[in-house]
Structures are given as structure tokens and as C-alpha cells.
Amino acid sequence: MRKVPRPPSLLGGRSQGRDTEDSSAFVLGAQRTGEFSDTDVPVTALGPPGWLLCSPASCVQYRLVVRDARTLQILQLYTCLDQIQYIEWSSDSLFILCAMYKRGVVQVWSLEQPDWHCKIDEGSAGLVASCWSPDGRHILNTTEFHLRITVWSLCTKSVSYIKYPKACQQGIAFTKDGRYMAVAERRDCKDFVSIFVCSDWQLLRHFDTETQDLFGIEWAPNGCVLAAWDTCLEYKILLYSLDGRLLSTYRAYEWSLGIKAIAWSPSSQFLAIGSYDEKVRILNHVTWKKITEFEHPATVASSKTIVYKEVEKSPSVETERLSFPPTRALASSLFSTQSKYDVSQVPVSLQHIKPVADRANPKMGIGMLAFSPDNCFLATKNDNIPNAVWIWDVQKLKLFVVLEQLCAVQSFQWDPRQPRLAVCTGNSKVYLWSPAGCVSVQVPMEGDFQIVSLSWHCSGDSVALLSKDNFCVCYLEREEVK
Amino acid sequence: MGDWKTITVPVLSSDSKNIFHYTSEKKISPPSMNSQVLRLPLPSSKNMHSFFSAFCTEENIEQSISYLNRELTTLGFPSIYAESKGQELNLISIINCMNELLVLQHKNLRAQEEVEMQHLKLGSDMDHLQNCYAKLKEQLELSKREIVGLQERDRQLQSKNRNLHQLLKTEKDEVQKLQNIISSRATQYNHDMKRKEREYNKLKERLHQLVMNKKDKKIAMEVLNYVGRADGKRGAWRTDKTEARNEEEMYKVLLSDYEQRQKQLLVENAELKKVLQQMKKEIILLLPPQKQKPKERSEDGLVLSDPEEDIGELNKENMWELSCETVREQLTNSIRKQWRMLKNHVEKLDNQVSRVHSGTLNEKDVISREDHELETEKLELEIQQCKEMIKTQQQLLQQLMSPCDDDTTLLLQDCYLLEERERLQEEWRLFREQKKNFEKERRSFTEAAIRLGLERKAFEEDRGAWLKQQFLSMSTDYKHSENVTTPSAFLGSCDQDNRLVKSTSQRKPPCMLSGPVSAEPCQTSQYITRNSSSAASKKPAGDSKPNQWVESDKEETE
């Protein structure tokens, strides 16, 4: 007997306790940028694994704030040259990269040595993107107009250039082990892929892809297969081996808008391809043929599917708990609508948007999809049906759960440690689903806190929730701790 | 009345027999007779008189008689003249003829009636058919109109269809055109894109040269001090060696991946093999050893036994690592064989089970047997009841039926009798009517006869007186010749009269009864009147005649 909805097992009681501010599960970790400027773009990054504290770093205008992930106490404070537009932790959490695209400058800070500094100036070439190499000692800067990619080393004075990078959504891909990097290139109106060895930036393979207009490349988690897919005008995905051999080509159909997003399963066993025809096709890693097809119809008819529907409920105020002056959390809870999940009886028809046919990039098709870390589930979102998250059982290759939200789903991410999905819908709630059930959690904060993005801590113990100008961290406690 | 019937019916029948006889004879006669017969109108006394008066007058009586005779003889009747006496009429034959003629007439009338009835019927049938015909014609018209309408609609639809086809064609053409346009646009677009991209590339190249070759001082990295590598190693120079090493490493990665996959596959295979092996073992255990095994052994001989042994050996030394093809084949083959055996066995068992099932059921259903028996008893009781019911019903039906049968037969008989009776009564009525008429006429006739007798008497007396006067006055024979002829004539007429009276007296009353009522008395009266008229100036036949008539009447009434 399934008892739904029920909070996930790891979601402790503390997350709902609002007795005192101290015991709140949510700690407001960022100053409101309104204090400084209205045009600020706050950038937050959670530290990668390997770093004890796994600090969240946030930047406010010129300043970079590094806090302890547990206590959110400020560890370091750096001041940059210009307004920070992008920050990224190095893989070993020793350095933080702050990109100021407007200035064409990247500044790197060391957490261990606060007075160590590094400034990379791209000069007149400009800067549009910057990222760490997997080893955390190199920075890859993409110049304006995708003229080249400059690889700066923090160890030596050497600088490498990669010419003709292709201006596409996912033009650089590193293998999970960080050994190899694939770069999409465009020369003489043809697409190429170059594979580099990350240790010394030596070109390993260079081959052309049979694509009209390469749109993205993605390594399989095992680092042996590279998926390259064509622009959305054509449904075409190509699979290359590490040594540049074409393993397989897959085309589901022609003459229609094609691939929108892809996702590798963590085991590299499956490749899920979301396309504009509102379907997810799953290829296997042996024959690279389609195993199955997941449709996303507006009506869920199968009785084996559980449909969780988010419903609003007015908060019940316990009068004896009311105190004067009311605590912040209580006040926020009083003035925000709460919601909970109901199990809908199938068949359920979901809210469906008819996409505008004569606009580019129509809002339809599978735009988001992600496998759970244990390979068991696949979460997808059909842009036609923006309020729903579909969770598929990969073992049975069947639709398992549908979460129907009140608002359009903005983002979702799997807990890196267990099959637990966090969803945000642009309001002040975070939604968590696990096979045991799902729960809606209100951010205990005054005013509006519209979560547009979320990011799990690598331990799976906390989630950073980002709104436009705030961020907060939601801590999920383990059962034994309770 | 009953007496009458009993008397009259046989006579009638005899007569009718006679008539049949005649008619059968007359069938050969030419159609002129028929026409004559048919021509005879239903006689109403007045018409009759006029007709006959037209046909026969005092002047042509002889000729008419002869004519009649001729006609009758041609029609197969006996001559109306007495054979011996030449011109003398044979009254009996005349009367017979007449009677037969009348019978014939009657019959013909009846036939005519029937024919008329039939005609009517046929007429009505005809009408009906004509109505039907008219109706059908109408229907035909209607259907024709409908057909025309449908054809019109069909035509319209066809034209519509044609139009639609045309439209479809145009649409298709349009689509084709659009597709062509699209493809041409696409090619154009691609071409333009390429051109633009080339231009863009050129620009990029130029920009690259401009930006990069200027020795832009701004492009720089300011680092406080270089940090060590994450792995602690020192950066190596890029040489051919490193290239080869990279290549090697790449292949190593690939190899390790493949190895891993192979290992996974091996594990999977081993699992499957284990399952197969287990299955095989279980099948062997399952199969009855006395039946299949020897058979298989004898069939396959060494082939099956050897691999089994081999497998057995292999099993000991962990055969899973040896994915040798021969072993695999043997294993799969043997498994297949075993499986087939098992299948056969299971099928056999199924058959047996299905066969035995009925038997076992009875054995098994000991508990339900009582119920079953109870049920059967109940059902039997019910059947008994039903049977009884049916029986009683049948009896009732029979009771109803048997009297009904008698009744019906009786009724039928009665019906027939009634019909007959009615027919007879009808005839009887007719007959009585005829008789009445006849009597009426006879009465008039007797009256006339009496009158005639009286007149004759007066005449006789006159004659007597006249003869006496003559005789007395006649002294001389100056008028002798005249006197000779008259008595002769008188004597002849008297004889004739006598004969006539005789014949009438001799006539059988049934004959008169059966014959046509109206014509006969008329004719007799005619004869009488003729006689009387012819012998009006002559001596009357005598007083005995009326008496005879009366006597005959008396006979009749008796």
C-alpha cells in the first residue's frame, strides 16, 4: 500500500519546523543585491567534491563571497575589478574563477592563499565564455566571435590556442575522468570535432562529422563514446568512438524539427534523446538502436501511472502559536499560499500549450531530460506541457510518475547520491520527489523568492536555491540524524 | 313432400341420364344446332306467341312442321312424323323431342349461367389484373422517375467528385510547387549561408590577424606565482613521445572499456549458461527416465552422451570460463533436445490429464455426488410432472378432437345433405311453380275446352238443325257435291281431335312435370286452338275430352 504524498525519507522534520528562526531549514545565504544595485546578476556556485567545506560562493557586484556550506559563515571575501558575470570552482575547490565578460577579464582567487591572485586579460579579442579545465589548473577562454579558445595554464606560462571553435550551444565537452576534451569546430562550412588530451593539450583526433550544422557534443560518462547531434532542423545523432570512428548514426524521422536535448545514462548504457515531436527515444549502447520510445501525451491514461497534482491550500494558523511581534518565518508562512500534492485519478489531462507554429524555436518537445544517478529513473519535461515533470522507470521502460505543478517547471535536478528529484517552478517553493512520494516545501522567507534554478550539493545533503537576486540553501537531514 | 322427393328424384335422374345420352350424341352435331339452341330465348308467354305466330301461321303449318322435322332430324332427334302414316305427326316423339329440347335448353341455360359467371369472374379478374397492371405501370413510372433522379444525383456527385479531383490535383500541384519552392529556397539559403560563412570566416581570419598579430600587450596573464599541478607532476614538453604516449593511453582507455564490456558480457553469458545448465538438469530430473532417456540414447548414441559427460567434467573445472564454441553448441543443442522432450512429455501428460480428467472428476466429486443425486432426483420429479401434464393435455386434446371429428363428418354430411336438400327444395320450388303455371294454363285450357265443347254442342245442334232443315228442304240433289267434302273434312278433323285427346290422356304426368313448364302447355293449347280454329266450323270431338283432362288432373294431384 502506497501512502502518498509523503515526504521523502531524508527530508527531516526540521525543514518544516518554523518555531524559531535558528532551527529553520533554510538559511538565507546572500545579501540582497538591492542594497547595492538593481541590475546585479548574482552568481552562485557550490563547491565540487573533494573540498571539505564544499563552500558556496556567491558574488555581489564586484565582491565574491565564499561561505561555509554548513554554517554559511563567510570564509573569504574577494573584490574583483568589475561586475562578476560568471563564477566557477576549480575541480579541487582550490580556486575560483570569476569572469567579467564586459571587460574581457578573468580573475582567479585561491581559497588557501587569500593574497594569491591571477588576472587574465583577453584584450581586444574579447571574452564570451570561460571555464576550468578538469584538472583545475587551466582556464579555457573563448574569445568574441569564437575566433579561438585560449587555454591559460596556472602552472606554467604556456598559452595554447584552439582555432575555429564552433559557436554552438555545447561546443566543448570534457570526459568525466577529465582526460579528454572534445571541441566542435567549423572550418570551410564543415563541422569537425577535435579531441584533445587535457594533460598537455595535444590534439589526439580530428575528424569531420556528417552534420549540416553541428549543434552539440556530449561524452558518454565512460568517456569512450561521443554523441554529436545536428541542428534542430534535422533529426540526426552521430556516435563516435574516442578514436574518431563513427560507431553509429541514428535518424528517427525527417522533414521535421529534430533533437532538442539529449542525456546519457550514468552507466553509459542508454542515450535518451528528446526531440520536438514530444518523444524521448532511448538508444542502447550495444547496437545503438532504439530500445523504446516515450511519448508525452497531454492525457495520462495508464492506470499504473501515479499522477501527483499540486494543489493550493490555505495555511491553517494555530492561534496559540501566534506571537507578537510575529517571527519572520511565521509571517512569511502566513502570507504565502501553501501547496500540497494530491494523487489524481487517471485519466488525467494535463495543461497543454499550443505552440506558435510560425515562430522560431517553438515551445514544444522535450527540452529537459535527466537520468537519476542510480540509472533507475529518467525525468523529462515536455515544453508543450510546461507544468508537468514526467518520471520514467528505466528498468520497466514505463511511465512511472507525473508531477503536475501549478506553475511552469523552470528546472529540475537529481540528487547526486540517490533517486531524489528537486524541482522548481519559479515560485517560492521547492518540490522534492522520491519513489516514496513527493512533497512541496515553502521557502520561509519574507517577500518574493522566485526560485529559478537549483543546485544540489555533491553530498546530496543540501540544495542551493537561486532566485534572481537571492539564494538560499535547503538542508535535507538524514533520518538517523533526526 | 318427402314422398314427392323420393319419387321425383330418380325420375329426374333417369331423365337427365337420357339427356346426357342425347347430349353425348349431339356433341357431334354441327354448331348450327348449338346456335339455334342458344338462340332460343327464355320464353315469356307473350313473346312466345308472337314468335311462333310469326314463324307458323295457318297457311304454312305443314311447311313449318316439316321444317321442324327436318331440323330436328338433323339435330339427331327422331322424326316427328309417324313413320307409318307419312304426314301424320307423332305426338309422342314430338313431345319427347320437345322435352329433350327443353332439357337441353335448361342445361344450356345453366351452362350459359356458368359461363356468364365465369365470364364475370374473368371480367373481375381482368379488372383486377388491369388495376394491377395500372398500379405496376405507375410504380414503373415512379421508379423510372426515381432512377432519373438518382442518375441526376449521381451525375451531380460525379461532377462534384471530378471537381474535387481537380481541386486535389491543383492542391497537389500547389504542394509540389511549394515543395519545389521550399527546396529551392533551402538550397538558396544553404548557398547564401555558405557564402556568408565564408565571408564571415574571411572577416574572422582578418580580425584574428589584426587582433592577434598586433602583439596586443593587453593579452596577458598576471599571476602572483605559478601553482603546482594538481597531480603534483611537472609539466612535460610536448614531443613525439608524448604523442605516442597519448595515443597509447587513448587505446588503453578504449581497451579497458571494451574489456569491461566483455567482462560484463561474460558474466551475463555465464549467468545465462548457468541458468541453462540448471534448466537442463531439472528437465532431466523431471523427465521420466524409463521412457525418453533410452530412446534418446539409442537415437543419438554417443553424440548426446559424450557431451553430457564432457559437460559434467567441465562443470567440475568451472567450465564457465571456457566459452568455447563447441561447448556452447553442444550445450544449446542438448538443451534444445531436452526441451523438445520435455515439451512432448508435457503435451502427453496434458493429453493424459484431459483423458483422465473425466474419470478423476467422478472420483473426486464424492461430496458433490449427493448434491448431484439430489439434483437428478429433483429433475426426474420435474420430468415426471411434466410428462403427466403432457399426457393430460394430450388426453384433453384427444377428447376435444374425437367428437369434433364425428361432428365434422356429420356436419359435412349434413352440409352435403343440406346442400342437396336446398338444391332439391329449389328444384321443388321451381317444379311447384311450374306446376302452378301448368295448372293455371290447364285450367284455362279446360275452360277453353269446355267452352269449345259448348260451342261445339251449339254448333252440332245448329248443324243438326241445319242438316235437318237441309234434309227436309232438300228434295232434289242440286247441291250434292258440296255435301260430300264437308263430312269428309269433318271426319278427318274428328279423328285428329280424337287422337290428340288420346295422346294427351296417354301422356305420363312425370314427363310433363319434368319438362319445361311454359312451352308445352302453350304448344298444346296452340294445337288445340289450331284444331279448334280449323275445326271451328266442324263438328266438335265430343264431351268425353274435358272429362279426360279432369281425370288426368286427378291423377296428377294424386
Side-chain angles (χ1 to χ4, degrees):
Chain A
M1 191 75 183
R2 187 188 290 273
K3 204 174 155 192
V4 276
R6 199 181 65 153
S9 55
L10 293 189
L11 203 68
R14 236 179 90 182
S15 63
Q16 270 135 3
R18 285 187 293 273
D19 294 354
T20 61
E21 234 175 327
D22 297 336
S23 68
S24 170
F26 296 91
V27 182
L28 309 174
Q31 287 91 343
R32 267 188 288 165
T33 49
E35 294 168 25
F36 304 95
S37 157
D38 284 329
T39 55
D40 268 351
V41 183
V43 187
T44 313
L46 277 177
W51 179 238
L52 278 172
L53 296 172
C54 298
S55 318
S58 64
C59 52
V60 183
Q61 284 247 333
Y62 292 73
R63 268 188 287 178
L64 174 72
V65 186
V66 180
R67 293 166 188 268
D68 186 289
R70 271 264 147 240
T71 60
L72 287 181
Q73 278 172 349
I74 294 172
L75 293 175
Q76 291 293 342
L77 218 149
Y78 307 98
T79 309
C80 292
L81 292 165
D82 205 342
Q83 190 179 318
I84 301 162
Q85 281 174 286
Y86 178 73
I87 55 171
E88 188 179 326
W89 283 92
S90 69
S91 58
D92 53 6
S93 293
L94 288 172
F95 301 100
I96 305 168
L97 170 158
C98 301
M100 290 144 274
Y101 296 136
K102 279 179 191 168
R103 244 183 189 236
V105 171
V106 172
Q107 279 191 296
V108 187
W109 305 101
S110 167
L111 212 62
E112 282 183 327
Q113 303 165 316
D115 46 352
W116 182 89
H117 63 89
C118 170
K119 190 189 113 193
I120 300 164
D121 196 335
E122 283 295 336
S124 51
L127 181 68
V128 290
S130 181
C131 68
W132 282 103
S133 79
D135 64 355
R137 296 294 180 269
H138 294 84
I139 288 163
L140 284 82
N141 284 341
T142 309
T143 60
E144 256 181 314
F145 308 110
H146 288 79
L147 279 177
R148 64 181 183 194
I149 292 168
T150 324
V151 184
W152 300 92
S153 173
L154 298 183
C155 309
T156 59
K157 231 183 172 176
S158 70
V159 179
S160 307
Y161 298 108
I162 297 166
K163 261 183 109 179
Y164 313 112
K166 188 175 164 79
C168 61
Q169 195 196 39
Q170 224 169 323
I172 301 172
F174 295 100
T175 55
K176 212 180 173 189
D177 58 3
R179 275 199 199 182
Y180 301 102
M181 176 181 76
V183 179
E185 293 175 10
R186 183 86 174 173
R187 299 179 191 186
D188 304 326
C189 308
K190 279 195 91 181
D191 291 317
F192 294 89
V193 168
S194 292
I195 295 169
F196 293 93
V197 183
C198 291
S199 56
D200 52 6
W201 306 108
Q202 196 168 33
L203 182 68
L204 188 69
R205 282 288 183 276
H206 178 77
F207 51 88
D208 63 331
T209 58
E210 297 161 25
T211 48
Q212 281 270 306
D213 179 16
L214 186 67
F215 194 70
I217 47 174
E218 175 113 8
W219 284 103
N222 64 7
C224 290
V225 184
L226 180 75
W229 64 99
D230 210 341
T231 176
C232 63
L233 292 173
E234 233 179 319
Y235 194 113
K236 191 174 190 181
I237 190 155
L238 301 140
L239 294 146
Y240 291 95
S241 171
L242 179 62
D243 53 355
R245 283 180 299 123
L246 177 66
L247 294 172
S248 181
T249 307
Y250 178 75
R251 306 187 68 157
Y253 52 83
E254 287 178 273
W255 312 120
S256 186
L257 289 181
I259 297 166
K260 201 166 189 186
I262 71 155
W264 283 96
S265 79
S267 64
S268 309
Q269 200 180 353
F270 301 115
L271 176 63
I273 307 163
S275 53
Y276 280 93
D277 66 341
E278 300 173 50
K279 279 178 191 168
V280 169
R281 289 173 179 81
I282 293 192
L283 309 187
N284 72 75
H285 75 309
V286 181
T287 60
W288 303 109
K289 295 265 168 61
K290 188 181 77 180
I291 294 173
T292 189
E293 211 174 75
F294 293 152
E295 287 183 51
H296 295 69
T299 332
V300 181
S302 170
S303 59
K304 285 178 180 169
T305 307
I306 304 157
V307 180
Y308 292 106
K309 189 182 167 69
E310 186 195 2
V311 287
E312 277 188 333
K313 64 166 185 193
S314 50
S316 58
V317 181
E318 292 151 275
T319 39
E320 60 264 37
R321 289 256 180 112
L322 282 174
S323 55
F324 187 82
T327 59
R328 274 174 118 193
L330 190 61
S332 73
S333 78
L334 270 174
F335 291 108
S336 61
T337 52
Q338 300 216 337
S339 72
K340 59 168 184 162
Y341 280 109
D342 271 357
V343 177
S344 303
Q345 287 296 313
V346 285
V348 176
S349 54
L350 306 164
Q351 203 184 337
H352 184 258
I353 289 175
K354 201 167 164 61
V356 186
D358 55 352
R359 289 269 178 82
N361 301 314
K363 278 205 168 185
M364 64 180 294
I366 312 303
M368 269 200 274
L369 65 170
F371 279 96
S372 71
D374 62 351
N375 267 322
C376 288
F377 301 101
L378 171 70
T380 60
K381 184 201 161 193
N382 183 4
D383 294 342
N384 281 7
I385 306 163
N387 292 6
V389 178
W390 312 65
I391 296 164
W392 306 82
D393 189 332
V394 176
Q395 280 163 331
K396 292 176 189 163
L397 296 172
K398 288 253 166 64
L399 182 60
F400 185 46
V401 168
V402 175
L403 305 179
E404 195 189 357
Q405 307 295 136
L406 285 169
C407 307
V409 175
Q410 299 288 322
S411 170
F412 56 73
Q413 197 179 20
W414 286 97
D415 182 338
R417 292 294 171 92
Q418 50 178 309
R420 186 161 62 173
L421 186 75
V423 181
C424 63
T425 63
N427 56 13
S428 59
K429 294 180 199 77
V430 66
Y431 306 92
L432 292 160
W433 174 88
S434 80
C438 56
V439 71
S440 143
V441 185
Q442 174 79 33
V443 174
M445 187 186 156
E446 278 179 278
D448 228 10
F449 189 86
Q450 293 178 339
I451 304 165
V452 290
S453 164
L454 43 78
S455 175
W456 280 92
H457 191 268
C458 56
S459 67
D461 288 341
S462 53
V463 199
L465 310 170
L466 283 77
S467 80
K468 267 189 177 158
D469 44 11
N470 290 324
F471 95 90
C472 71
V473 180
C474 169
Y475 295 98
L476 304 153
E477 299 204 326
R478 294 186 186 280
E479 254 173 332
E480 53 263 26
V481 177
K482 190 178 81 178
Chain B
M1 289 292 272
D3 283 345
W4 269 110
K5 271 188 269 173
T6 43
I7 294 160
T8 49
V9 169
V11 174
L12 235 169
S13 65
S14 70
D15 253 20
S16 64
K17 265 177 201 166
N18 281 341
I19 288 155
F20 276 123
H21 179 65
Y22 280 119
T23 46
S24 62
E25 269 183 346
K26 272 177 251 161
K27 267 177 189 167
I28 322 146
S29 62
S32 59
M33 172 232 144
N34 277 336
S35 63
Q36 238 176 355
V37 170
L38 284 167
R39 214 169 56 199
L40 277 171
L42 201 78
S44 76
S45 53
K46 267 193 179 174
N47 278 349
M48 205 68 190
H49 274 292
S50 62
F51 177 74
F52 276 104
S53 61
F55 170 64
C56 176
T57 53
E58 270 176 54
E59 287 86 41
N60 66 352
I61 188 160
E62 293 295 321
Q63 285 93 331
S64 56
I65 287 165
S66 71
Y67 169 76
L68 277 176
N69 183 41
R70 212 167 52 236
E71 286 292 311
L72 283 170
T73 45
T74 54
L75 288 177
F77 288 98
S79 174
I80 52 166
Y81 292 113
E83 302 246 336
S84 50
K85 284 166 196 170
Q87 287 296 306
E88 290 239 355
L89 289 165
N90 190 348
L91 241 171
I92 295 162
S93 77
I94 286 171
I95 285 158
N96 279 339
C97 275
M98 216 172 288
N99 179 38
E100 263 155 41
L101 277 170
L102 283 168
V103 166
L104 239 165
Q105 159 77 0
H106 205 65
K107 222 185 139 238
N108 282 330
L109 272 173
R110 221 178 280 163
Q112 192 192 350
E113 249 172 63
E114 267 171 36
V115 165
E116 270 171 4
M117 278 293 286
Q118 212 163 352
H119 180 250
L120 267 174
K121 241 194 237 167
L122 286 172
S124 67
D125 277 2
M126 186 78 174
D127 280 351
H128 177 68
L129 286 173
Q130 267 172 350
N131 280 343
C132 279
Y133 173 71
K135 255 187 221 164
L136 286 172
K137 222 174 173 179
E138 262 173 48
Q139 271 183 8
L140 184 70
E141 280 296 313
L142 214 84
S143 341
K144 267 184 185 168
R145 248 176 280 144
E146 246 172 70
I147 284 167
V148 168
L150 286 173
Q151 273 173 346
E152 177 60 23
R153 243 179 70 191
D154 187 44
R155 200 186 55 74
Q156 280 174 2
L157 286 174
Q158 268 180 350
S159 65
K160 210 171 159 187
N161 190 25
R162 226 172 291 129
N163 286 344
L164 286 173
H165 267 293
Q166 198 63 37
L167 262 170
L168 184 71
K169 216 177 169 186
T170 51
E171 288 292 319
K172 267 185 183 169
D173 286 350
E174 193 87 353
V175 165
Q176 192 61 46
K177 227 163 73 187
L178 286 173
Q179 268 178 348
N180 286 339
I181 287 170
I182 286 169
S183 61
S184 68
R185 287 254 171 99
T187 48
Q188 185 64 39
Y189 164 79
N190 281 339
H191 184 76
D192 283 358
M193 274 289 282
K194 271 188 184 164
R195 200 162 49 82
K196 286 260 166 69
E197 207 176 323
R198 273 195 202 109
E199 275 174 32
Y200 170 65
N201 281 342
K202 260 186 217 162
L203 279 171
K204 251 168 113 175
E205 203 68 32
R206 185 95 188 103
L207 183 69
H208 197 258
Q209 280 174 3
L210 283 173
V211 169
M212 305 303 163
N213 293 354
K214 217 171 68 182
K215 289 287 166 197
D216 191 357
K217 283 202 177 150
K218 275 177 94 184
I219 301 177
M221 186 171 75
E222 295 167 22
V223 191
L224 189 70
N225 58 318
Y226 291 107
V227 295
R229 288 174 73 99
D231 50 8
K233 283 181 201 164
R234 289 182 66 186
W237 291 106
R238 238 190 258 175
T239 55
D240 288 349
K241 244 187 192 175
T242 55
E243 206 170 304
R245 207 189 62 222
N246 283 335
E247 199 85 350
E248 204 178 294
E249 274 189 11
M250 182 196 79
Y251 283 120
K252 260 187 200 164
V253 166
L254 277 176
L255 264 176
S256 72
D257 180 56
Y258 283 123
E259 266 172 20
Q260 207 185 325
R261 268 162 83 169
Q262 202 206 356
K263 255 179 215 162
Q264 281 176 359
L265 286 173
L266 264 177
V267 167
E268 213 174 298
N269 270 340
E271 284 288 322
L272 289 172
K273 269 186 212 159
K274 216 184 266 175
V275 168
L276 267 180
Q277 196 70 23
Q278 207 178 335
M279 251 175 73
K280 192 185 161 189
K281 267 184 206 155
E282 275 173 20
I283 288 167
I284 289 167
L285 280 174
L286 257 173
L287 283 171
Q290 73 278 8
K291 275 185 200 167
Q292 270 81 0
K293 270 213 166 173
K295 249 192 206 171
E296 283 295 314
R297 279 266 161 79
S298 61
E299 274 175 23
D300 298 292
L302 295 164
V303 184
L304 193 84
S305 56
D306 281 352
E308 268 182 18
E309 282 167 23
D310 285 347
I311 287 158
E313 283 169 29
L314 282 168
N315 218 349
K316 284 169 200 164
E317 15 172 308
N318 197 3
M319 64 155 286
W320 312 118
E321 299 305 319
L322 298 167
S323 65
C324 180
E325 268 186 40
T326 48
V327 173
R328 194 177 61 205
E329 248 171 59
Q330 279 162 5
L331 184 68
T332 46
N333 278 344
S334 67
I335 283 278
R336 257 183 219 140
K337 266 174 205 154
Q338 303 273 359
W339 173 244
R340 231 169 285 143
M341 275 153 64
L342 182 73
K343 219 169 123 184
N344 286 339
H345 185 62
V346 166
E347 274 168 8
K348 229 179 265 170
L349 278 177
D350 267 351
N351 283 342
Q352 278 178 0
V353 162
S354 62
R355 246 180 283 145
V356 171
H357 199 63
S358 51
T360 49
L361 246 176
N362 280 351
E363 287 167 30
K364 276 180 187 171
D365 290 3
V366 186
I367 312 147
S368 68
R369 193 168 217 172
E370 291 171 9
D371 291 14
H372 179 74
E373 272 174 3
L374 269 169
E375 196 79 332
T376 43
E377 264 182 26
K378 233 192 261 174
L379 284 171
E380 267 175 1
L381 240 161
E382 232 171 68
I383 286 167
Q384 200 65 35
Q385 281 175 350
C386 284
K387 269 184 183 169
E388 273 175 18
M389 192 102 116
I390 287 164
K391 217 177 262 176
T392 48
Q393 275 181 346
Q394 257 179 346
Q395 272 177 353
L396 276 169
L397 261 174
Q398 270 173 353
Q399 275 177 5
L400 273 170
M401 283 294 275
S402 52
C404 190
D405 269 344
D406 287 359
D407 278 351
T408 42
T409 44
L410 272 174
L411 258 170
L412 276 172
Q413 279 175 354
D414 275 8
C415 275
Y416 292 135
L417 276 175
L418 263 170
E419 216 178 327
E420 193 109 23
R421 199 185 187 173
E422 264 174 4
R423 202 156 52 81
L424 284 174
Q425 271 180 346
E426 184 71 18
E427 272 176 37
W428 179 237
R429 197 179 51 77
L430 262 170
F431 165 63
R432 272 179 46 183
E433 225 169 31
Q434 280 178 358
K435 192 179 143 193
K436 228 183 256 167
N437 287 343
F438 196 64
E439 266 181 328
K440 217 189 274 168
E441 272 180 48
R442 177 188 276 176
R443 218 171 291 134
S444 63
F445 188 74
T446 42
E447 274 171 14
I450 287 161
R451 229 184 302 138
L452 194 73
L454 284 171
E455 276 177 341
R456 188 178 271 185
K457 217 178 174 179
F459 178 69
E460 287 289 318
E461 274 172 6
D462 280 356
R463 210 176 86 166
W466 184 74
L467 272 173
K468 218 193 292 171
Q469 206 183 333
Q470 200 81 325
F471 191 69
L472 287 172
S473 65
M474 196 174 63
S475 51
T476 54
D477 278 337
Y478 63 96
K479 268 184 188 173
H480 199 75
S481 62
E482 280 177 32
N483 275 330
V484 176
T485 51
T486 39
S488 72
F490 168 75
L491 277 168
S493 70
C494 190
D495 268 2
Q496 272 180 340
D497 274 6
N498 279 341
R499 212 176 57 196
L500 187 133
V501 171
K502 240 197 250 170
S503 78
T504 47
S505 64
Q506 275 170 358
R507 265 193 319 191
K508 287 180 207 165
C511 269
M512 276 162 57
L513 286 168
S514 66
V517 194
S518 47
E520 215 178 343
C522 277
Q523 272 183 334
T524 38
S525 66
Q526 268 176 350
Y527 275 121
I528 287 157
T529 45
R530 218 195 296 170
N531 282 339
S532 60
S533 62
S534 64
S537 57
K538 288 160 200 172
K539 216 177 161 184
D543 291 338
S544 61
K545 277 184 274 179
N547 288 339
Q548 270 184 327
W549 275 108
V550 172
E551 272 179 346
S552 71
D553 267 6
K554 268 178 194 168
E555 275 173 29
E556 274 176 42
T557 44
E558 275 171 35

